[in-house]
Amino acid sequence: MFNNVYRLVRPRQIVRTTTTIHLENDSRVTVRPLFLSICRADERYYSGSRDAKILAEKLPMSLVHEAMGVVVADPTSTFEVGTPVVMVPTHSHKHDEEIGDNYLRDSRFASSTEDGFMREYVQIESDRLIQVPKTFKYEMASFVEVVSVALQAVRRLESTMTSHRQTIGVWGDGNVAYITAVVLKELFPEAQLYVFGKHEEKLGYFSFANTINIERIPLNFSIDHAIEAVGGQGSETAINQIIDVISPRGTIVLSGVTEDLVDINTRMILEKGLTLSGSSRSTKKDFEDAITIIAKNEEARLRLELMIQNINEVHNISDINATFDEDMNMPWGKSIMKWEI
């Protein structure tokens, strides 16, 4: 059986290669992708904004690690043919319940250390698939991965935070910050949730939280704990701002990705006895918990569906390029490819 794979070979250049898959001689489940969601990591590869050495090591590579599809063959009999599923991009070769698959150094990750999901068919282990609930829009199901990443960050916060948890802050006003705030609202409904950003039009989406412009933080304002979801060049300012306003013994979870080293105020970290915790990617358990949270709470589901800002039917490489280019110019929200290739 032939399978078309769409790989980025150099910035802004995607080519199609044809491989052969053998359904009868493979223990993996075969999934036909239906909806694929683009994230900033994909954009950094596509636009060539990653370091040239990294690009040389990674490419050619199929992009996209946020996706859902439908089962077309399953020799394990775990899923019926036609079952809608989300695909877990973390590909671990062993498990450690304490550390987590996402932090094991020999785990691989779709669209980073192995091909992503821009393929006609994806052959994947059955334990990396989760059935999509009937209440989910497929377009939203495609980016459940981001919700699972947000949940991982919130769980990291929860594991080290003190009992003083009346106020929680999220730094950032982009997609990851929004989803993180949605998750926090569900898991800590009694806490005062504050979102700190610099774009008033983006902060307007956070109607369920208190919003503060980072240029106008009130004098003597403080929070108990915080998650940094800024990343990039702004992460240094965000982290140090959190250190300034967080209460003693507070926990700061760092979830924003930056390519460069940042300077942080270690003196104040010591004086306040702060805990800094890194959070990256997610596990299958995070996927399952994220789906449960969304399925049980219509309000959270509707908030996440608000992120669907751009849906493009994709029939060829030109359509893929057009969607990536549109996404790079979108200030907020998710671009979804309806995969018709």
Side-chain angles (χ1 to χ4, degrees):
M1 178 177 177
F2 292 114
N3 186 27
N4 290 316
V5 181
Y6 297 83
R7 293 190 175 100
L8 184 75
V9 294
R10 58 181 59 88
R12 298 181 183 274
Q13 185 175 346
I14 294 171
V15 301
R16 183 186 68 184
T17 57
T18 301
T19 61
T20 303
I21 58 177
H22 303 280
L23 302 184
E24 66 279 4
N25 296 323
D26 201 301
S27 62
R28 295 172 296 177
V29 180
T30 302
V31 175
R32 165 65 177 162
L34 296 182
F35 290 92
L36 290 77
S37 174
I38 297 173
C39 86
R40 291 294 176 245
D42 299 315
E43 288 288 11
R44 286 193 290 273
Y45 285 116
Y46 177 79
S47 64
S49 58
R50 294 294 307 271
D51 182 86
K53 182 180 178 181
I54 293 176
L55 291 174
E57 292 173 351
K58 303 270 190 178
L59 304 184
M61 180 175 65
S62 178
L63 299 178
V64 179
H65 59 268
E66 302 172 15
M68 66 78 56
V70 62
V71 172
V72 297
D74 181 8
T76 71
S77 299
T78 305
F79 300 95
E80 293 183 3
V81 171
T83 301
V85 291
V86 293
M87 295 180 277
V88 178
T90 301
H91 185 186
S92 59
H93 301 285
K94 60 183 179 181
H95 299 284
D96 188 308
E97 293 299 325
E98 188 174 5
I99 294 175
D101 296 349
N102 51 322
Y103 299 118
L104 294 175
R105 303 309 295 168
D106 61 351
S107 289
R108 299 178 69 79
F109 193 81
S111 76
S112 177
T113 50
E114 66 181 31
D115 272 339
F117 299 136
M118 285 205 325
R119 299 178 247 173
E120 186 178 6
Y121 297 100
V122 175
Q123 290 192 293
I124 186 169
E125 293 74 16
S126 61
D127 63 357
R128 293 172 61 198
L129 297 174
I130 305 168
Q131 185 169 345
V132 174
K134 294 180 179 179
T135 54
F136 279 36
K137 287 185 177 179
Y138 285 177
E139 297 90 335
M140 190 208 65
S142 70
F143 59 87
V144 161
E145 191 271 344
V146 198
V147 186
S148 74
V149 170
L151 184 59
Q152 168 78 194
V154 173
R155 293 301 191 201
R156 297 280 287 170
L157 185 78
E158 187 177 32
S159 67
T160 55
M161 67 198 309
T162 64
S163 61
H164 301 280
R165 50 184 70 177
Q166 286 72 40
T167 55
I168 302 176
V170 176
W171 261 254
D173 50 26
N175 295 345
V176 174
Y178 179 84
I179 294 175
T180 301
V182 170
V183 173
L184 278 168
K185 187 68 174 178
E186 296 309 311
L187 296 186
F188 295 92
E190 303 303 319
Q192 285 290 315
L193 177 61
Y194 290 87
V195 176
F196 299 79
K198 64 179 181 179
H199 305 98
E200 296 296 338
E201 67 278 10
K202 293 183 181 180
L203 288 173
Y205 288 103
F206 295 81
S207 59
F208 53 92
N210 304 291
T211 58
I212 297 178
N213 190 296
I214 58 172
E215 303 294 337
R216 297 190 293 273
I217 297 179
L219 190 65
N220 299 322
F221 181 85
S222 66
I223 55 167
D224 295 321
H225 307 280
I227 296 179
E228 175 271 322
V230 175
Q233 296 179 341
S235 62
E236 181 176 308
T237 300
I239 295 168
N240 284 307
Q241 196 170 66
I242 296 171
I243 293 170
D244 286 342
V245 303
I246 198 168
S247 298
R249 293 298 307 277
T251 288
I252 305 171
V253 170
L254 310 179
S255 66
V257 178
T258 177
E259 300 292 326
D260 303 310
L261 299 178
V262 299
D263 293 325
I264 60 175
N265 186 354
T266 56
R267 174 179 289 277
M268 193 54 65
I269 293 173
L270 302 182
E271 286 188 15
K272 289 187 175 182
L274 304 179
T275 298
L276 270 67
S277 180
S279 182
S280 178
R281 298 174 178 167
S282 60
T283 65
K284 181 182 180 181
K285 178 70 163 55
D286 293 319
F287 270 79
E288 292 170 339
D289 290 348
I291 288 174
T292 298
I293 290 171
I294 300 168
K296 288 184 176 180
N297 193 305
E298 183 181 9
E299 199 169 60
R301 187 165 66 252
L302 292 175
R303 285 171 180 158
L304 292 171
E305 288 176 1
L306 182 64
M307 297 202 66
I308 303 170
Q309 296 286 310
N310 182 33
I311 303 174
N312 280 359
E313 286 193 7
V314 170
H315 300 275
N316 50 48
I317 291 175
S318 294
D319 292 339
I320 298 174
N321 289 330
T323 307
F324 269 87
D325 290 338
E326 288 176 20
D327 187 69
M328 291 179 67
N329 292 315
M330 278 177 50
W332 191 87
K334 301 291 288 182
S335 288
I336 312 294
M337 293 186 284
K338 187 179 180 183
W339 200 242
E340 302 283 359
I341 288 182

